[in-house]
mmCIF file of all heavy atoms in Angstrom:
data_model
loop_
_atom_site.group_PDB
_atom_site.id
_atom_site.type_symbol
_atom_site.label_atom_id
_atom_site.label_comp_id
_atom_site.label_asym_id
_atom_site.label_seq_id
_atom_site.Cartn_x
_atom_site.Cartn_y
_atom_site.Cartn_z
ATOM 1 N N LEU A 343 164.873 67.002 98.121
ATOM 2 C CA LEU A 343 163.944 67.152 99.255
ATOM 3 C C LEU A 343 162.590 67.699 98.812
ATOM 4 O O LEU A 343 161.585 67.537 99.499
ATOM 5 C CB LEU A 343 164.559 68.075 100.321
ATOM 6 C CG LEU A 343 165.651 67.426 101.178
ATOM 7 C CD1 LEU A 343 166.441 68.482 101.947
ATOM 8 C CD2 LEU A 343 165.047 66.414 102.159
ATOM 9 N N ARG A 344 162.588 68.348 97.642
ATOM 10 C CA ARG A 344 161.328 68.930 97.144
ATOM 11 C C ARG A 344 160.614 68.010 96.163
ATOM 12 O O ARG A 344 159.620 68.404 95.553
ATOM 13 C CB ARG A 344 161.623 70.269 96.465
ATOM 14 C CG ARG A 344 162.150 71.305 97.439
ATOM 15 C CD ARG A 344 162.315 72.658 96.766
ATOM 16 N NE ARG A 344 162.751 73.647 97.733
ATOM 17 C CZ ARG A 344 163.894 74.345 97.643
ATOM 18 N NH1 ARG A 344 164.692 74.171 96.602
ATOM 19 N NH2 ARG A 344 164.204 75.221 98.583
ATOM 20 N N LEU A 345 161.100 66.791 95.989
ATOM 21 C CA LEU A 345 160.421 65.853 95.072
ATOM 22 C C LEU A 345 158.984 65.639 95.549
ATOM 23 O O LEU A 345 158.688 65.744 96.747
ATOM 24 C CB LEU A 345 161.158 64.506 95.055
ATOM 25 C CG LEU A 345 162.487 64.474 94.283
ATOM 26 C CD1 LEU A 345 163.225 63.160 94.569
ATOM 27 C CD2 LEU A 345 162.255 64.642 92.782
ATOM 28 N N PRO A 346 158.092 65.338 94.599
ATOM 29 C CA PRO A 346 156.688 65.138 94.989
ATOM 30 C C PRO A 346 156.496 63.911 95.888
ATOM 31 O O PRO A 346 157.356 63.028 95.938
ATOM 32 C CB PRO A 346 155.977 64.933 93.639
ATOM 33 C CG PRO A 346 157.046 64.611 92.669
ATOM 34 C CD PRO A 346 158.315 65.203 93.171
ATOM 35 N N ASP A 347 155.344 63.863 96.546
ATOM 36 C CA ASP A 347 155.042 62.739 97.449
ATOM 37 C C ASP A 347 155.242 61.395 96.750
ATOM 38 O O ASP A 347 155.633 60.409 97.388
ATOM 39 C CB ASP A 347 153.584 62.814 97.928
ATOM 40 C CG ASP A 347 153.390 63.937 98.935
ATOM 41 O OD1 ASP A 347 154.347 64.723 99.160
ATOM 42 O OD2 ASP A 347 152.279 64.051 99.482
ATOM 43 N N ALA A 348 154.941 61.371 95.443
ATOM 44 C CA ALA A 348 155.008 60.098 94.714
ATOM 45 C C ALA A 348 156.400 59.471 94.842
ATOM 46 O O ALA A 348 156.529 58.247 94.905
ATOM 47 C CB ALA A 348 154.663 60.315 93.237
ATOM 48 N N TYR A 349 157.448 60.301 94.883
ATOM 49 C CA TYR A 349 158.792 59.742 95.030
ATOM 50 C C TYR A 349 158.918 59.017 96.372
ATOM 51 O O TYR A 349 159.383 57.876 96.449
ATOM 52 C CB TYR A 349 159.895 60.813 94.914
ATOM 53 C CG TYR A 349 161.201 60.211 95.330
ATOM 54 C CD1 TYR A 349 161.878 59.343 94.461
ATOM 55 C CD2 TYR A 349 161.706 60.366 96.622
ATOM 56 C CE1 TYR A 349 163.034 58.691 94.871
ATOM 57 C CE2 TYR A 349 162.857 59.709 97.042
ATOM 58 C CZ TYR A 349 163.518 58.879 96.160
ATOM 59 O OH TYR A 349 164.636 58.203 96.564
ATOM 60 N N PHE A 350 158.501 59.700 97.432
ATOM 61 C CA PHE A 350 158.667 59.154 98.781
ATOM 62 C C PHE A 350 157.799 57.898 98.949
ATOM 63 O O PHE A 350 158.220 56.919 99.554
ATOM 64 C CB PHE A 350 158.317 60.218 99.830
ATOM 65 C CG PHE A 350 159.251 61.405 99.803
ATOM 66 C CD1 PHE A 350 159.014 62.485 98.958
ATOM 67 C CD2 PHE A 350 160.383 61.423 100.601
ATOM 68 C CE1 PHE A 350 159.883 63.572 98.922
ATOM 69 C CE2 PHE A 350 161.259 62.503 100.580
ATOM 70 C CZ PHE A 350 161.009 63.584 99.731
ATOM 71 N N ASP A 351 156.563 57.946 98.401
ATOM 72 C CA ASP A 351 155.691 56.757 98.447
ATOM 73 C C ASP A 351 156.336 55.620 97.669
ATOM 74 O O ASP A 351 156.292 54.458 98.081
ATOM 75 C CB ASP A 351 154.321 57.063 97.825
ATOM 76 C CG ASP A 351 153.549 58.096 98.646
ATOM 77 O OD1 ASP A 351 153.922 58.320 99.816
ATOM 78 O OD2 ASP A 351 152.590 58.682 98.103
ATOM 79 N N GLY A 352 156.935 55.983 96.539
ATOM 80 C CA GLY A 352 157.501 54.973 95.632
ATOM 81 C C GLY A 352 158.642 54.205 96.293
ATOM 82 O O GLY A 352 158.662 52.973 96.257
ATOM 83 N N ILE A 353 159.572 54.920 96.906
ATOM 84 C CA ILE A 353 160.726 54.208 97.484
ATOM 85 C C ILE A 353 160.274 53.345 98.661
ATOM 86 O O ILE A 353 160.741 52.224 98.851
ATOM 87 C CB ILE A 353 161.887 55.158 97.876
ATOM 88 C CG1 ILE A 353 163.087 54.325 98.326
ATOM 89 C CG2 ILE A 353 161.517 56.180 98.921
ATOM 90 C CD1 ILE A 353 164.396 55.028 98.315
ATOM 91 N N ARG A 354 159.291 53.860 99.406
ATOM 92 C CA ARG A 354 158.800 53.074 100.553
ATOM 93 C C ARG A 354 158.120 51.792 100.080
ATOM 94 O O ARG A 354 158.380 50.700 100.592
ATOM 95 C CB ARG A 354 157.831 53.925 101.371
ATOM 96 C CG ARG A 354 157.433 53.301 102.684
ATOM 97 C CD ARG A 354 156.423 54.138 103.438
ATOM 98 N NE ARG A 354 155.208 54.331 102.667
ATOM 99 C CZ ARG A 354 154.760 55.508 102.244
ATOM 100 N NH1 ARG A 354 155.417 56.616 102.508
ATOM 101 N NH2 ARG A 354 153.640 55.594 101.538
ATOM 102 N N GLU A 355 157.271 51.919 99.078
ATOM 103 C CA GLU A 355 156.538 50.733 98.602
ATOM 104 C C GLU A 355 157.477 49.734 97.927
ATOM 105 O O GLU A 355 157.313 48.523 98.066
ATOM 106 C CB GLU A 355 155.391 51.152 97.677
ATOM 107 C CG GLU A 355 154.270 51.880 98.417
ATOM 108 C CD GLU A 355 153.861 51.197 99.734
ATOM 109 O OE1 GLU A 355 153.669 49.973 99.748
ATOM 110 O OE2 GLU A 355 153.774 51.901 100.771
ATOM 111 N N ASP A 356 158.452 50.254 97.209
ATOM 112 C CA ASP A 356 159.437 49.385 96.570
ATOM 113 C C ASP A 356 160.171 48.569 97.652
ATOM 114 O O ASP A 356 160.339 47.348 97.533
ATOM 115 C CB ASP A 356 160.422 50.258 95.787
ATOM 116 C CG ASP A 356 161.513 49.440 95.136
ATOM 117 O OD1 ASP A 356 161.178 48.532 94.353
ATOM 118 O OD2 ASP A 356 162.712 49.688 95.417
ATOM 119 N N LEU A 357 160.565 49.264 98.709
ATOM 120 C CA LEU A 357 161.302 48.582 99.771
ATOM 121 C C LEU A 357 160.411 47.648 100.577
ATOM 122 O O LEU A 357 160.851 46.604 101.051
ATOM 123 C CB LEU A 357 161.998 49.593 100.686
ATOM 124 C CG LEU A 357 163.260 50.207 100.069
ATOM 125 C CD1 LEU A 357 163.760 51.379 100.898
ATOM 126 C CD2 LEU A 357 164.369 49.158 99.919
ATOM 127 N N ARG A 358 159.138 48.015 100.703
ATOM 128 C CA ARG A 358 158.221 47.118 101.425
ATOM 129 C C ARG A 358 158.133 45.762 100.696
ATOM 130 O O ARG A 358 158.209 44.701 101.312
ATOM 131 C CB ARG A 358 156.828 47.746 101.538
ATOM 132 C CG ARG A 358 155.859 46.906 102.386
ATOM 133 C CD ARG A 358 154.421 47.201 102.032
ATOM 134 N NE ARG A 358 154.066 48.590 102.221
ATOM 135 C CZ ARG A 358 153.647 49.114 103.375
ATOM 136 N NH1 ARG A 358 153.530 48.352 104.421
ATOM 137 N NH2 ARG A 358 153.347 50.392 103.465
ATOM 138 N N ALA A 359 158.017 45.835 99.363
ATOM 139 C CA ALA A 359 157.931 44.591 98.585
ATOM 140 C C ALA A 359 159.228 43.783 98.727
ATOM 141 O O ALA A 359 159.206 42.554 98.845
ATOM 142 C CB ALA A 359 157.651 44.918 97.119
ATOM 143 N N LYS A 360 160.355 44.500 98.737
ATOM 144 C CA LYS A 360 161.646 43.803 98.857
ATOM 145 C C LYS A 360 161.822 43.208 100.254
ATOM 146 O O LYS A 360 162.384 42.129 100.410
ATOM 147 C CB LYS A 360 162.781 44.768 98.523
ATOM 148 C CG LYS A 360 162.816 45.088 97.040
ATOM 149 C CD LYS A 360 163.813 46.148 96.687
ATOM 150 C CE LYS A 360 163.887 46.259 95.170
ATOM 151 N NZ LYS A 360 164.702 47.397 94.740
ATOM 152 N N ARG A 361 161.332 43.941 101.249
ATOM 153 C CA ARG A 361 161.362 43.388 102.613
ATOM 154 C C ARG A 361 160.608 42.065 102.643
ATOM 155 O O ARG A 361 161.094 41.066 103.187
ATOM 156 C CB ARG A 361 160.703 44.361 103.599
ATOM 157 C CG ARG A 361 160.532 43.763 104.980
ATOM 158 C CD ARG A 361 159.559 44.503 105.853
ATOM 159 N NE ARG A 361 158.188 44.430 105.364
ATOM 160 C CZ ARG A 361 157.133 44.856 106.038
ATOM 161 N NH1 ARG A 361 157.295 45.409 107.220
ATOM 162 N NH2 ARG A 361 155.912 44.765 105.537
ATOM 163 N N ASP A 362 159.406 42.058 102.045
ATOM 164 C CA ASP A 362 158.587 40.850 102.089
ATOM 165 C C ASP A 362 159.263 39.700 101.339
ATOM 166 O O ASP A 362 159.265 38.561 101.805
ATOM 167 C CB ASP A 362 157.187 41.141 101.526
ATOM 168 C CG ASP A 362 156.412 42.082 102.454
ATOM 169 O OD1 ASP A 362 156.828 42.227 103.633
ATOM 170 O OD2 ASP A 362 155.422 42.687 102.010
ATOM 171 N N LEU A 363 159.853 40.046 100.193
ATOM 172 C CA LEU A 363 160.535 39.007 99.405
ATOM 173 C C LEU A 363 161.662 38.365 100.230
ATOM 174 O O LEU A 363 161.752 37.138 100.349
ATOM 175 C CB LEU A 363 161.111 39.664 98.139
ATOM 176 C CG LEU A 363 161.627 38.815 96.977
ATOM 177 C CD1 LEU A 363 161.924 39.729 95.785
ATOM 178 C CD2 LEU A 363 162.815 37.963 97.263
ATOM 179 N N LEU A 364 162.505 39.226 100.819
ATOM 180 C CA LEU A 364 163.649 38.677 101.561
ATOM 181 C C LEU A 364 163.205 38.017 102.866
ATOM 182 O O LEU A 364 163.721 36.954 103.226
ATOM 183 C CB LEU A 364 164.684 39.783 101.841
ATOM 184 C CG LEU A 364 165.983 39.296 102.498
ATOM 185 C CD1 LEU A 364 166.717 38.266 101.632
ATOM 186 C CD2 LEU A 364 166.926 40.470 102.806
ATOM 187 N N ALA A 365 162.235 38.630 103.551
ATOM 188 C CA ALA A 365 161.780 38.051 104.829
ATOM 189 C C ALA A 365 161.193 36.658 104.593
ATOM 190 O O ALA A 365 161.498 35.704 105.324
ATOM 191 C CB ALA A 365 160.750 38.958 105.485
ATOM 192 N N ASP A 366 160.363 36.530 103.552
ATOM 193 C CA ASP A 366 159.759 35.225 103.260
ATOM 194 C C ASP A 366 160.841 34.210 102.860
ATOM 195 O O ASP A 366 160.814 33.054 103.281
ATOM 196 C CB ASP A 366 158.710 35.348 102.144
ATOM 197 C CG ASP A 366 157.510 36.181 102.604
ATOM 198 O OD1 ASP A 366 157.411 36.441 103.827
ATOM 199 O OD2 ASP A 366 156.697 36.594 101.754
ATOM 200 N N GLY A 367 161.798 34.680 102.058
ATOM 201 C CA GLY A 367 162.874 33.798 101.607
ATOM 202 C C GLY A 367 163.721 33.313 102.777
ATOM 203 O O GLY A 367 164.091 32.133 102.852
ATOM 204 N N LEU A 368 164.035 34.224 103.695
ATOM 205 C CA LEU A 368 164.848 33.841 104.854
ATOM 206 C C LEU A 368 164.083 32.873 105.755
ATOM 207 O O LEU A 368 164.657 31.934 106.312
ATOM 208 C CB LEU A 368 165.274 35.099 105.640
ATOM 209 C CG LEU A 368 166.342 35.968 104.960
ATOM 210 C CD1 LEU A 368 166.409 37.360 105.599
ATOM 211 C CD2 LEU A 368 167.716 35.294 105.036
ATOM 212 N N THR A 369 162.776 33.111 105.885
ATOM 213 C CA THR A 369 161.955 32.199 106.694
ATOM 214 C C THR A 369 161.985 30.798 106.061
ATOM 215 O O THR A 369 162.213 29.795 106.751
ATOM 216 C CB THR A 369 160.497 32.718 106.774
ATOM 217 O OG1 THR A 369 160.538 34.053 107.282
ATOM 218 C CG2 THR A 369 159.644 31.856 107.684
ATOM 219 N N ASP A 370 161.774 30.755 104.738
ATOM 220 C CA ASP A 370 161.806 29.463 104.033
ATOM 221 C C ASP A 370 163.165 28.784 104.191
ATOM 222 O O ASP A 370 163.259 27.557 104.212
ATOM 223 C CB ASP A 370 161.541 29.649 102.534
ATOM 224 C CG ASP A 370 160.089 29.989 102.274
ATOM 225 O OD1 ASP A 370 159.269 29.864 103.214
ATOM 226 O OD2 ASP A 370 159.777 30.421 101.136
ATOM 227 N N ALA A 371 164.215 29.599 104.258
ATOM 228 C CA ALA A 371 165.564 29.025 104.351
ATOM 229 C C ALA A 371 165.877 28.537 105.774
ATOM 230 O O ALA A 371 166.951 27.986 106.016
ATOM 231 C CB ALA A 371 166.603 30.053 103.915
ATOM 232 N N GLY A 372 164.955 28.802 106.716
ATOM 233 C CA GLY A 372 165.129 28.251 108.060
ATOM 234 C C GLY A 372 165.539 29.246 109.130
ATOM 235 O O GLY A 372 165.747 28.875 110.283
ATOM 236 N N PHE A 373 165.688 30.521 108.761
ATOM 237 C CA PHE A 373 166.032 31.543 109.760
ATOM 238 C C PHE A 373 164.785 31.950 110.546
ATOM 239 O O PHE A 373 163.671 31.895 110.008
ATOM 240 C CB PHE A 373 166.534 32.826 109.075
ATOM 241 C CG PHE A 373 167.839 32.700 108.357
ATOM 242 C CD1 PHE A 373 167.894 32.163 107.066
ATOM 243 C CD2 PHE A 373 169.020 33.142 108.941
ATOM 244 C CE1 PHE A 373 169.101 32.060 106.381
ATOM 245 C CE2 PHE A 373 170.224 33.039 108.264
ATOM 246 C CZ PHE A 373 170.265 32.502 106.981
ATOM 247 N N GLN A 374 164.975 32.400 111.786
ATOM 248 C CA GLN A 374 163.897 33.146 112.433
ATOM 249 C C GLN A 374 164.049 34.599 112.010
ATOM 250 O O GLN A 374 165.133 35.179 112.123
ATOM 251 C CB GLN A 374 163.955 33.053 113.963
ATOM 252 C CG GLN A 374 162.738 33.753 114.580
ATOM 253 C CD GLN A 374 162.855 33.990 116.086
ATOM 254 O OE1 GLN A 374 163.722 33.433 116.746
ATOM 255 N NE2 GLN A 374 161.971 34.827 116.603
ATOM 256 N N VAL A 375 162.969 35.172 111.516
ATOM 257 C CA VAL A 375 163.029 36.516 110.933
ATOM 258 C C VAL A 375 162.328 37.520 111.837
ATOM 259 O O VAL A 375 161.205 37.278 112.286
ATOM 260 C CB VAL A 375 162.362 36.503 109.535
ATOM 261 C CG1 VAL A 375 162.147 37.921 109.017
ATOM 262 C CG2 VAL A 375 163.219 35.701 108.558
ATOM 263 N N PHE A 376 162.998 38.634 112.113
ATOM 264 C CA PHE A 376 162.363 39.762 112.811
ATOM 265 C C PHE A 376 161.961 40.758 111.727
ATOM 266 O O PHE A 376 162.815 41.416 111.139
ATOM 267 C CB PHE A 376 163.326 40.382 113.821
ATOM 268 C CG PHE A 376 163.731 39.408 114.889
ATOM 269 C CD1 PHE A 376 164.869 38.628 114.746
ATOM 270 C CD2 PHE A 376 162.935 39.233 116.008
ATOM 271 C CE1 PHE A 376 165.217 37.693 115.704
ATOM 272 C CE2 PHE A 376 163.276 38.295 116.980
ATOM 273 C CZ PHE A 376 164.419 37.527 116.823
ATOM 274 N N ARG A 377 160.657 40.808 111.455
ATOM 275 C CA ARG A 377 160.199 41.571 110.284
ATOM 276 C C ARG A 377 160.283 43.068 110.587
ATOM 277 O O ARG A 377 159.626 43.555 111.507
ATOM 278 C CB ARG A 377 158.751 41.169 109.965
ATOM 279 C CG ARG A 377 158.282 41.560 108.588
ATOM 280 C CD ARG A 377 156.931 40.922 108.302
ATOM 281 N NE ARG A 377 157.081 39.558 107.810
ATOM 282 C CZ ARG A 377 157.025 39.205 106.530
ATOM 283 N NH1 ARG A 377 156.781 40.114 105.615
ATOM 284 N NH2 ARG A 377 157.173 37.964 106.166
ATOM 285 N N PRO A 378 161.112 43.799 109.850
ATOM 286 C CA PRO A 378 161.340 45.204 110.200
ATOM 287 C C PRO A 378 160.146 46.098 109.855
ATOM 288 O O PRO A 378 159.505 45.911 108.820
ATOM 289 C CB PRO A 378 162.545 45.579 109.339
ATOM 290 C CG PRO A 378 162.490 44.646 108.178
ATOM 291 C CD PRO A 378 161.891 43.365 108.679
ATOM 292 N N SER A 379 159.862 47.067 110.739
ATOM 293 C CA SER A 379 158.838 48.078 110.449
ATOM 294 C C SER A 379 159.454 49.275 109.748
ATOM 295 O O SER A 379 158.749 50.178 109.310
ATOM 296 C CB SER A 379 158.193 48.565 111.744
ATOM 297 O OG SER A 379 157.702 47.491 112.476
ATOM 298 N N GLY A 380 160.776 49.328 109.694
ATOM 299 C CA GLY A 380 161.467 50.425 109.022
ATOM 300 C C GLY A 380 162.891 50.022 108.703
ATOM 301 O O GLY A 380 163.334 48.937 109.078
ATOM 302 N N THR A 381 163.626 50.905 108.018
ATOM 303 C CA THR A 381 165.004 50.698 107.515
ATOM 304 C C THR A 381 164.999 49.741 106.320
ATOM 305 O O THR A 381 163.932 49.305 105.879
ATOM 306 C CB THR A 381 166.018 50.128 108.558
ATOM 307 O OG1 THR A 381 165.791 48.711 108.737
ATOM 308 C CG2 THR A 381 165.925 50.863 109.879
ATOM 309 N N TYR A 382 166.207 49.422 105.805
ATOM 310 C CA TYR A 382 166.248 48.372 104.779
ATOM 311 C C TYR A 382 167.088 47.177 105.217
ATOM 312 O O TYR A 382 167.804 46.576 104.443
ATOM 313 C CB TYR A 382 166.625 48.886 103.390
ATOM 314 C CG TYR A 382 167.727 49.910 103.207
ATOM 315 C CD1 TYR A 382 168.987 49.769 103.750
ATOM 316 C CD2 TYR A 382 167.487 51.012 102.372
ATOM 317 C CE1 TYR A 382 169.985 50.696 103.502
ATOM 318 C CE2 TYR A 382 168.472 51.959 102.120
ATOM 319 C CZ TYR A 382 169.726 51.797 102.690
ATOM 320 O OH TYR A 382 170.710 52.712 102.424
#
Side-chain angles (χ1 to χ4, degrees):
L343 284 166
R344 295 185 177 120
L345 285 170
D347 287 6
Y349 169 76
F350 296 87
D351 294 343
I353 186 161
R354 189 183 59 243
E355 291 315 313
D356 178 57
L357 284 169
R358 185 204 301 274
K360 289 174 173 172
R361 172 197 66 171
D362 292 343
L363 193 171
L364 185 60
D366 294 348
L368 288 164
T369 304
D370 288 349
F373 293 82
Q374 185 193 347
V375 168
F376 298 92
R377 197 171 276 261
S379 306
T381 77
Y382 42 51

